[in-house]
Structure formats: C-alpha cells, structure tokens
Amino acid sequence: MKYITLLSLFFLSNIVAFAPSTNASSQQLLKPIKQGSKAVGVVFIQGAQIPAEAYLPLAKQIQIHSSLSVYVVIPSFPLNTPEPLVLSNGIKNGVQAMYDAGLDKDADLIMMGHSLGGAMLQDYVFKCKNCKAQVLMGAGLLRKYRNGSMASDYPVNTLTIDGTLDGLYRVTRQAENYYHY
C-alpha cells in the first residue's frame, strides 16, 4: 500500500509540476525605466501561492530608486508556488526573457526571493556563476549553509529582510540566522 501511495504522489507531483500554468499568473518582465551607470538583472521568486503580479509595485520602486538600469523578471510557476522541480526552469526562462529584452549576457544577476521563494532560491544561487547578490525577504539562509558546515562561505553576499510579526518565519529563526551568519 505504501508503494501505491508513493507512486500516486509521484505522478500527482509531476502532473502539478508540468501542467501548463494551472492557476498561475504569467511571467512578469519589466524593462529598465532609465539609463543607469550599469545594467543588471533582478530575478524575483515569489512566495507560495502569491501571484507574480503582487510584486510589481516593489519591482517598480527598485527601478525608480536604483542608480542602475534594472531589468526585473518575476517567473511564473504552477499554482503560483516555486517548487524545486520547476524552479530552475522558471529562472532560466526568466533570465532568457531579460536577455531577449536587451540585458547583456555578461550582466550581473541579483536574485530575490520572498518566503518559500527565498528558501527555494538558495540552492540555485549556490551553484550560479553570474549571480552576484541575493536578497531574502521573510527567509534566511538555510541551516545547511551555516558557517562551518556544507559551505563555510556562501558564494554571494546576502541581505535578509524580516519582520518580527511574520506568522511563518519566526523571530527565533531570525535570531538564529543572525547569530550564525
């Protein structure tokens, strides 16, 4: 019986992961609104069940207040949830969309993630060659990246932005992250 249940879960996860954007928002791409000192690409990974469009006001404010020319892409995921099986492909498609819109292929990439998107993003960034920085909102570096463990030096500078009243990312986890990093 366990075998049938696990097999059923496997097939269900594949149906959800590869279904054509079921209840998902569409990928959002913002071209730079001004010429800056340098062009960069920002890939923003949404939190679970939050439509990509919800992050557009924040993305526009980043463009307005940056001295850089900022391309922003917010990839879409099935059920508006960045799951491990679809994350890399979503990022790859988003980065390609920025290149197609005019971002130079040698431009720095800044990865941003909110909540589950921030947690899922870290393994991708750890292996990314042209990711220069990471911003985690309502998320912290995973324990496996704690200094002295799997990687004593996380490969990119990481900014964490947290709120003490976040119902999911507790203040004790924030404190633990601050202590270890």
Side-chain angles (χ1 to χ4, degrees):
M1 187 64 173
K2 286 182 184 179
Y3 179 75
I4 293 172
T5 304
L6 288 174
L7 191 59
S8 299
L9 287 173
F10 173 77
F11 283 113
L12 180 60
S13 68
N14 282 322
I15 290 168
V16 170
F18 299 106
S21 58
T22 309
N23 292 330
S25 57
S26 60
Q27 175 172 278
Q28 301 296 309
L29 173 66
L30 299 176
K31 295 179 184 178
I33 58 171
K34 62 183 175 187
Q35 287 290 15
S37 57
K38 178 180 179 180
V40 297
V42 173
V43 178
F44 199 112
I45 306 300
Q46 68 214 46
Q49 300 177 349
I50 302 173
E53 296 85 6
Y55 297 98
L56 286 175
L58 175 60
K60 290 176 182 175
Q61 288 300 311
I62 291 169
Q63 287 183 313
I64 290 169
H65 294 288
S66 177
S67 62
L68 306 171
S69 294
V70 181
Y71 289 80
V72 180
V73 70
I74 309 168
S76 63
F77 298 101
L79 304 175
N80 290 319
T81 302
E83 295 288 345
L85 289 175
V86 295
L87 184 74
S88 292
N89 201 39
I91 292 172
K92 184 179 85 173
N93 292 340
V95 170
Q96 186 60 52
M98 289 192 294
Y99 292 155
D100 293 345
L103 180 65
D104 187 59
K105 292 188 189 240
D106 294 327
D108 293 341
L109 295 178
I110 300 166
M111 310 304 274
M112 296 181 71
H114 172 237
S115 193
L116 179 66
M120 296 293 108
L121 183 63
Q122 295 173 48
D123 289 333
Y124 181 88
V125 171
F126 189 79
K127 299 172 190 165
C128 182
K129 301 294 184 218
N130 58 338
C131 295
K132 298 300 179 193
Q134 174 176 248
V135 178
L136 304 175
M137 300 184 317
L141 282 174
L142 299 172
R143 289 179 177 126
K144 69 181 179 180
Y145 295 121
R146 182 175 288 163
N147 291 336
S149 62
M150 181 177 161
S152 59
D153 292 317
Y154 195 74
V156 300
N157 290 326
T158 300
L159 170 67
T160 58
I161 302 170
D162 306 314
T164 57
L165 299 178
D166 184 320
L168 299 173
Y169 188 65
R170 301 176 322 276
V171 68
T172 53
R173 182 69 173 98
Q174 296 167 10
E176 177 188 343
N177 226 330
Y178 177 79
Y179 175 80
H180 288 287
Y181 300 105

